[in-house]
Amino acid sequence: MEHSVERTYFIETVRADFPILNQEHHPGVPLIYLDNAASSQKPRSVIEAMDDYYRRYNANVHRGIHKLSEQATAAYEGARVKIRKFINASSKREIIFTRGTTEGINLVAQTWGRANLKPGDVVLSTVMEHHSNIVPWQILAAEKEFVIKYIPLREDGTLDMDVYTRLLNEGGVKLVTVMHVSNVLGTINPVAEIARQAHAAGALILVDGAQSTPHMPVDVQALDADFFVFSGHKMLGPTGSGVLYGKRALLEAMPPWMGGGDMIASVRLEGSTWNELPYKFEAGTPSIAEAIGLGYAIDYLAEIGMETIQAHEHTLTEYVLERLSEVPDLKVYGPDADRKGAVAAFTFAGIHPHDVAQMLDAEGIAVRAGHHCAMPLHDYLGLAASTRASFYLYNRLSEVDSLIEALYKARKAFYR
Ligand code: PLP
C-alpha cells in the first residue's frame, strides 16, 4: 500500500520531536502508542518551554511588578492570544483558562446553568456523550429540577437529527450540549447545523471539543458555538491545561464560579465586585507553566497545519477500518471513515476487551479498554466495554499493520 502519509509531511521528522515515542515498551519491543484519545504525547518544544519557565522566569502572574512576574504574565497571556487565533475567537477576553474540558463544562453548568435553568426547562444532550458532559448537568438538574433529554443514534453511530429536530420542537430547550467528535465512535457531529437549529429554537449550544480541537481545524465563530471547551493534554499540551471559550456577551452576564484572588475588582468586608473578562473566571494562581506549554503545543500544531494533520489522520482512519474489517469475529463501532475521527473502538466475539488490550500491550501496543467514560453509550450499544485504538499526527500506517498482526495473534491464542 502506498503511504500517502509521506505526501502530507515527513512522519519520521515529526516523530523525532517526541522523545517518548523513541523507546522500547518491553525489551526488544518498540512502543506503538494508540491511546491518543485518552491523552497525547508531548513534543520536545512543549517540554522545554515548561522547563524554561521554571528555570528562568518562574513567578506569579498579574501581581508582581518585578521583571520575572512581567515575563511570566507576558508568556501566560501570550498563550491566550495563540489560543484565540487557533480557534478564531473574536477576542482574547473570550478565552478562559481551565484545567480541561471537564472543568469548562462544570464552569458553564455552575454559572450560566445555575443562573438560567428553572424547573421544567430542558437541556438537550446525546447518548454518546462523555461523562463530563452528562454528570455536571445531572448534578445541577437534581437541584434546579430541569429535564435532561438525550438525542439517540442511528444504526451507523451518527446522531438521529430527525429526533433532534423533534425534541427541539417539543419546546422548553434552553441548552443543547453536544460533543463535536465522539471519543468512542469517532462520529463527527454536524455541530454547525445543530447550532443553527438550537438558535432558531431559542436555545444556546455548548460544544465539547475535547476530541475535535486536537485533530481538525476549529472555528468557533463559523460553528456559531456559544460555549466551546477542550483539553490541552489531548493536543500535545500538558495535563492541567484547557480552555473554555464563550461568547463575550454571555460571559459578561454570567456570575463567577470560584471566588478568590485575581477574579475580583474590589473586596470589602461588606461584599465584592468582579474583575473583567477573562479574569472573572480565573480565581487563584492559575496553571502558568501549563498554559505556556499549551501555547507551544498550538504553535507546533499550527506549524504543520490542522488541515494537514486531519488529512494524515483520515488516511490512517481509512486504512485501520479497512484492515479491521478483515479480522474475523471483530466488530468496529461508529460510522465510515468520511464521518469519523481517527478512533476505532471494537469488540472481539468471546474475548474480553481488557484481555485484548493486555495482549496488545504485550506486543508493545498501548490501547485503552473499558467504557472510555461513556457508560451510557456502551449501555446503548449493549456492551459492557470495548477496546479502543486512537491515532494522532505521529502514528504511522505501519503501526496499523502491527495492530492487525497483534489482533490476529490474540485471536489465535484465544480461539485455539
Ligand atoms: N469529552 C470528551 C469527548 C473526552 O474524550 C474527554 C476525555 O477523555 C473529556 C471530555 C474529558 O476531558 P478531561 O478529562 O481532559 O477534562
Side-chain angles (χ1 to χ4, degrees):
M1 156 145 195
E2 183 183 276
H3 284 211
S4 67
V5 170
E6 269 69 34
R7 278 190 269 127
T8 53
Y9 52 84
F10 288 106
I11 193 85
E12 297 311 322
T13 313
V14 166
R15 289 179 65 85
D17 291 331
F18 291 79
I20 206 169
L21 296 179
N22 183 27
Q23 66 172 295
E24 291 184 339
H25 197 50
H26 309 294
V29 181
L31 169 68
I32 296 179
Y33 187 75
L34 302 182
D35 195 16
N36 294 284
S39 201
S40 70
Q41 300 303 346
K42 324 301 173 199
R44 197 172 280 111
S45 59
V46 169
I47 298 166
E48 287 175 357
M50 295 175 74
D51 184 73
D52 187 46
Y53 162 72
Y54 282 122
R55 282 179 192 276
R56 283 199 313 110
Y57 61 101
N58 171 53
N60 215 326
V61 291
H62 302 146
R63 290 167 201 188
I65 45 166
H66 56 84
K67 188 174 159 207
L68 291 190
S69 176
E70 282 172 4
Q71 270 181 296
T73 303
Y76 179 74
E77 291 302 325
R80 198 189 307 274
V81 171
K82 292 176 188 179
I83 293 160
R84 184 210 68 74
K85 187 162 174 238
F86 190 68
I87 62 168
N88 192 33
S90 56
S91 160
K92 74 177 190 119
R93 295 193 183 279
E94 297 177 321
I95 306 297
I96 318 287
F97 281 120
T98 65
R99 285 189 301 120
T101 304
T102 304
E103 186 172 297
I105 297 171
N106 278 276
L107 194 160
V108 175
Q110 291 299 325
T111 58
W112 180 86
R114 181 171 287 284
N116 290 284
L117 294 169
K118 305 180 304 298
D121 284 345
V122 177
V123 168
L124 203 50
S125 191
T126 83
V127 299
M128 65 167 76
E129 297 307 308
H130 188 279
H131 297 164
S132 66
N133 199 19
I134 296 175
V135 183
W137 304 110
Q138 289 177 334
I139 290 171
L140 191 64
E143 190 186 320
K144 294 284 179 183
E145 297 176 9
F146 58 85
V147 179
I148 310 173
K149 294 183 183 173
Y150 298 97
I151 307 164
L153 308 185
R154 297 195 198 97
E155 195 62 28
D156 63 359
T158 59
L159 287 179
D160 192 327
M161 292 294 283
D162 295 335
V163 178
Y164 171 54
T165 307
R166 205 183 69 221
L167 289 170
L168 276 178
N169 288 339
E170 284 174 8
V173 180
K174 290 283 160 54
L175 177 74
V176 177
T177 185
V178 57
M179 65 201 330
H180 198 172
V181 173
S182 164
N183 61 318
V184 178
L185 303 170
T187 313
I188 302 169
N189 289 321
V191 166
E193 174 58 18
I194 294 170
R196 193 190 63 73
Q197 291 194 32
H199 291 147
L204 298 182
I205 180 166
L206 183 155
V207 180
D208 169 357
Q211 298 292 346
S212 61
T213 319
H215 303 286
M216 60 175 69
V218 163
D219 181 332
V220 290
Q221 294 190 73
L223 294 174
D224 203 10
D226 297 296
F227 301 108
F228 190 97
V229 290
F230 56 96
S231 300
H233 70 96
K234 294 182 196 289
M235 51 189 289
L236 312 185
T239 53
S241 68
V243 172
L244 161 65
Y245 157 83
K247 285 183 183 165
R248 188 166 176 174
L250 289 168
L251 294 175
E252 296 278 12
M254 279 155 53
W257 181 25
M258 287 194 280
D262 232 22
M263 54 73 70
I264 48 85
S266 73
V267 179
R268 301 274 178 282
L269 294 180
E270 299 72 30
S272 304
T273 56
W274 315 137
N275 203 344
E276 59 187 4
L277 292 175
Y279 312 111
K280 180 170 80 174
F281 295 108
E282 293 181 5
T285 300
S287 301
I288 302 166
E290 287 74 7
I292 294 169
L294 175 55
Y296 275 78
I298 283 176
D299 289 342
Y300 192 93
L301 292 170
E303 173 73 24
I304 296 175
M306 293 311 293
E307 283 89 358
T308 308
I309 291 168
Q310 189 177 24
H312 169 64
E313 291 186 24
H314 185 68
T315 306
L316 284 165
T317 308
E318 281 185 322
Y319 189 50
V320 75
L321 293 187
E322 179 193 318
R323 295 293 323 268
L324 285 171
S325 73
E326 295 163 6
V327 183
D329 308 309
L330 186 145
K331 181 172 164 54
V332 185
Y333 298 87
D336 56 37
D338 286 343
R339 291 170 299 165
K340 188 176 168 88
V343 177
F346 56 89
T347 51
F348 236 145
I351 316 181
H352 194 282
H354 283 103
D355 292 334
V356 176
Q358 218 150 40
M359 296 183 84
L360 293 179
D361 184 66
E363 302 298 316
I365 304 173
V367 297
R368 184 162 170 188
H371 52 63
H372 318 302
C373 296
M375 280 174 93
L377 173 63
H378 281 77
D379 284 347
Y380 192 84
L381 298 171
L383 300 173
S386 59
T387 308
R388 181 184 72 185
S390 53
F391 300 81
Y392 209 3
L393 75 168
Y394 38 64
N395 287 119
R396 306 167 169 130
L397 285 171
S398 61
E399 292 178 322
V400 173
D401 295 329
S402 303
L403 170 71
I404 302 298
E405 229 173 87
L407 286 171
Y408 272 108
K409 202 167 161 186
R411 184 174 178 277
K412 209 164 153 194
F414 260 86
Y415 291 154
R416 130 184 99 199

